[in-house]
């Protein structure tokens, strides 16, 4: 078989069905060896000499202030020995941007417009299939598109950049859905909601779908244990037929690569997080505070802004689930909350849970809402000297003990309403002192004083309700649904058992200390019930 004659620029532009019109004439006898479509910012590095670049001008959208953008593009194409630039009008621009036209004229670089009703694949097919076999052309084009998509990994937001490039490559729309149907990222003007409706209805994603004028291909994937669906749509059905599988497979692999990079970054950050928190808990000298503040910037802390130590656990003393920890970390990152967090207690006597240092910012309350009913939480008073962190954790452990007792008391009382979050700076002196009782003798002394009442649930309930309702017999009667004289009778029995007048401040103080946790639980329940 005789060799094919070289394809020239004249051979291409003289084809009426390609819709090409000259703005800057090129050398008619210039040899053309290929054609590629690209709207990336630096396409010259991906183009071979004597090829034609087709573009819709996406790089010039919202770039009016960049006076040198067109000059740099033309200079790069000239250095790469690109044969000509074919500009598709009617997509982003009704005519070639004036700065690009001026740059081409200045450099005497061939520039042609492509009619708005001529799809780029028609020009690509004419040029590329004139040079080689269709199979070889498709392989070459697939490789070029894969390299184009690969460039998205260097972007600040690689997932967004990848979806944008994918939409450009298929000349239509690209969209990444969560399993719920929520759109994570999308680009293009395709019918994204109709696409998801078809996919949700169980359509076979392995085969192209037809939705109106749109052809659609989709592929399920799993990232970080969560399911997603990647879909591309184009009015040019041939693009999907020729390249749909390649585009989806390449994008799927790149998304997995992005996920892997994110996991590696997370792993390194978690290690740094745990190491830094351990140093603070062990204690650091004042002279090294500034150095540690600087390291904490990476975790969204502002040097010398107030912090709190946090200790959390659950009543079952079970380890915190990884998914819950992940949720805490992600919420802190999303809200800008400074956070150092390590799972489980650091000492044998510390129950399973997590220890943390958090910034005492406006985002803290919303972050704490995530712990509602999952764990009980104790927070130290705010502090700014990192050297005080060990003492702050001792305070946080005391606050966690208060929270634990309050939750347990609420559960024992049959109340489903409890907070389980205690800030040590907000507790009253009696609560603080009770949290500091350490010896068995301290606890035994309180238990022996209230032992007689603990054995009579009716008297115990009456005393607790009496102390919660400010020693008001009428209120107590209303709460317990009994006659006021019944309340008075029970209180006299209490006086006999404790050996003191119920109106004595000393007796009241002793009873308050003995039944403190139950009183706090009932007070909180009553307050929240009235609030409802």
């Amino acid at each position: 078989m005789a060799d094919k004659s070289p394809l020239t620029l004249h051979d291409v532009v003289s084809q009426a069905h390609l819709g090409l019109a000259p703005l800057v004439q090129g050398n008619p006898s210039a040899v053309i060896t290929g054609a590629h479509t690209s709207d990336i910012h630096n396409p010259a590095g991906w183009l071979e000499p004597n090829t034609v670049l087709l573009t819709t001008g996406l790089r010039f959208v919202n770039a009016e202030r960049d006076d040198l953008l067109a000059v740099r593009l033309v200079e790069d194409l000239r250095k790469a020995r690109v044969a000509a630039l074919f500009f598709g009008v009617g997509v982003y621009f009704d005519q070639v941007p004036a700065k690009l036209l001026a740059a081409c004229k200045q450099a005497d670089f061939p520039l042609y417009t492509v009619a708005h009703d001529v799809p780029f694949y028609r020009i690509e097919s004419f040029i590329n299939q004139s040079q080689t076999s269709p199979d070889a052309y498709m392989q070459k084009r697939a490789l070029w598109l894969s390299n184009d998509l690969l460039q998205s990994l260097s972007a600040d937001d690689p997932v967004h950049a990848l979806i944008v490039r994918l939409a450009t490559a298929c000349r239509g729309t690209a969209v990444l859905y969560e399993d719920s149907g929520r759109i994570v990222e999308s680009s293009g003007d395709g019918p994204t909601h109709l696409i998801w409706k078809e996919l949700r209805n169980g359509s076979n994603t392995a085969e192209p779908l037809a939705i109106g004028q749109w052809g659609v291909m989709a592929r399920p994937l799993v990232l970080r244990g969560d399911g997603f669906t990647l879909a591309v749509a184009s009015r040019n059905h041939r693009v999907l037929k020729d390249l749909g599988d390649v585009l989806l497979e390449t994008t799927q692999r790149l998304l997995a690569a992005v996920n892997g990079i994110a996991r590696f970054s997370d792993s390194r950050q978690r290690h740094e997080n745990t190491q830094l928190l351990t140093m603070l808990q062990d204690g650091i000298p004042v002279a090294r505070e500034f150095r540690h503040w600087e390291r904490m910037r990476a975790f969204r802390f502002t040097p010398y802004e107030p912090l709190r130590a946090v200790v959390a656990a659950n009543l079952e003393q079970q380890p915190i689930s990884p998914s819950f920890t992940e949720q805490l970390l992600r919420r802190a990152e999303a809200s800008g909350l400074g956070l150092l967090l390590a799972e489980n207690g650091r000492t044998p006597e510390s129950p399973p849970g997590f220890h943390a240092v958090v910034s005492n910012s406006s985002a803290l309350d919303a972050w704490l809402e995530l712990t509602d009913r999952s764990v009980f939480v104790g927070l130290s008073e705010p502090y700014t000297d990192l050297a005080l962190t060990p003492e702050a954790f001792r305070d946080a452990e005391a606050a966690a003990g208060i929270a634990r007792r309050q939750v347990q008391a609420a559960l024992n009382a049959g109340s489903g309403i409890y907070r389980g979050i205690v800030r040590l700076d907000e507790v009253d002196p009696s609560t603080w002192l009770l949290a500091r009782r350490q010896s068995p003798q301290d606890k035994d002394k309180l238990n022996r004083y209230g032992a007689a009442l603990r054995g009579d649930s009716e008297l115990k309930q009456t005393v607790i309700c009496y102390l919660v309702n400010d020693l008001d017999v009428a209120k107590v009667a209303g709460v317990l649904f009994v006659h006021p004289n019944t309340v008075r009778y029970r209180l006299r029995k209490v006086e006999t058992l404790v050996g003191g007048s119920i109106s004595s401040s000393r007796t009241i103080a002793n009873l308050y200390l003995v039944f403190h946790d139950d009183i706090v639980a009932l007070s909180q329940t009553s307050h929240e019930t009235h609030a409802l």
Side-chain angles (χ1 to χ4, degrees), residues 278-294:
T278 300
M279 290 180 180
L280 294 176
Q281 288 181 289
D282 288 342
I284 61 171
V286 175
R288 294 195 175 184
E289 280 198 5
F290 178 76
R291 181 184 301 177
H292 284 79
W293 273 120
E294 288 303 305

Side-chain angles (χ1 to χ4, degrees), residues 272-335:
E272 170 74 4
N273 163 88
T274 303
Q275 185 182 54
L276 188 51
L277 180 59
T278 300
M279 290 180 180
L280 294 176
Q281 288 181 289
D282 288 342
I284 61 171
V286 175
R288 294 195 175 184
E289 280 198 5
F290 178 76
R291 181 184 301 177
H292 284 79
W293 273 120
E294 288 303 305
R295 291 179 64 182
M296 291 169 66
R297 285 183 185 273
F299 299 93
R300 301 170 299 280
F301 288 95
T302 301
Y304 304 104
E305 289 295 316
L307 309 170
R308 286 183 187 264
V310 180
V311 173
N314 54 45
L315 290 176
E316 295 78 19
Q317 296 195 9
Q318 296 298 316
I320 303 299
S321 70
S323 61
F324 179 59
T325 304
E326 182 75 17
Q327 188 180 17
L328 291 173
L329 292 169
R330 295 300 175 195
R331 175 63 68 84
E333 182 179 0
S335 64

Side-chain angles (χ1 to χ4, degrees), residues 403-423:
R404 178 188 180 87
R405 291 193 299 274
Q406 289 181 0
V407 170
Q408 189 63 65
L411 293 174
N412 292 341
S415 169
I417 303 174
Y418 56 86
R419 178 65 171 162
I421 299 174
V422 171
R423 293 174 171 85

